[in-house]
Amino acid sequence: MKKKAIIIILSTLTAWLSVFVVDYVRVLSEQSPIFCIETQECHYTGLGYAFDQYPHPITGKTEFVMYLFGKMAWNNVTN
């Protein structure tokens, strides 16, 4: 029973991490995340994580802000 619960928890964690990595790599390559829902313009929400994507006004490159569990974790926004 205990071993089965550990396997289920590890499988769920592995699936979540895989989904997060796929979305993160897509955002890094200036594409929209696949496993997120666009809740507002330029704001994508996933399960426990979110991204804000904005085009830079001068260069046109897409910049992002990443949130993990509601807290800002990483961004590549330039001034």
Side-chain angles (χ1 to χ4, degrees), residues 8 19 21 25 35 38 56 67 71 77 79:
I8 291 172
V19 166
V21 168
V25 168
F35 300 106
E38 188 172 6
H56 189 276
Y67 302 93
K71 302 286 185 181
V77 177
N79 293 337

Side-chain angles (χ1 to χ4, degrees), residues 12-28:
T12 304
L13 184 61
T14 302
W16 179 84
L17 191 60
S18 300
V19 166
F20 170 73
V21 168
V22 167
D23 280 347
Y24 182 67
V25 168
R26 285 187 54 89
V27 168
L28 282 178

Side-chain angles (χ1 to χ4, degrees), residues 11-67:
S11 298
T12 304
L13 184 61
T14 302
W16 179 84
L17 191 60
S18 300
V19 166
F20 170 73
V21 168
V22 167
D23 280 347
Y24 182 67
V25 168
R26 285 187 54 89
V27 168
L28 282 178
S29 62
E30 300 184 12
Q31 299 173 343
S32 297
I34 295 174
F35 300 106
C36 290
I37 297 171
E38 188 172 6
T39 56
Q40 299 170 1
E41 185 178 355
C42 300
H43 181 79
Y44 298 90
T45 302
L47 188 61
Y49 62 95
F51 296 101
D52 288 333
Q53 286 185 308
Y54 302 103
H56 189 276
I58 297 173
T59 63
K61 290 187 72 174
T62 303
E63 299 180 333
F64 71 91
V65 178
M66 180 180 72
Y67 302 93

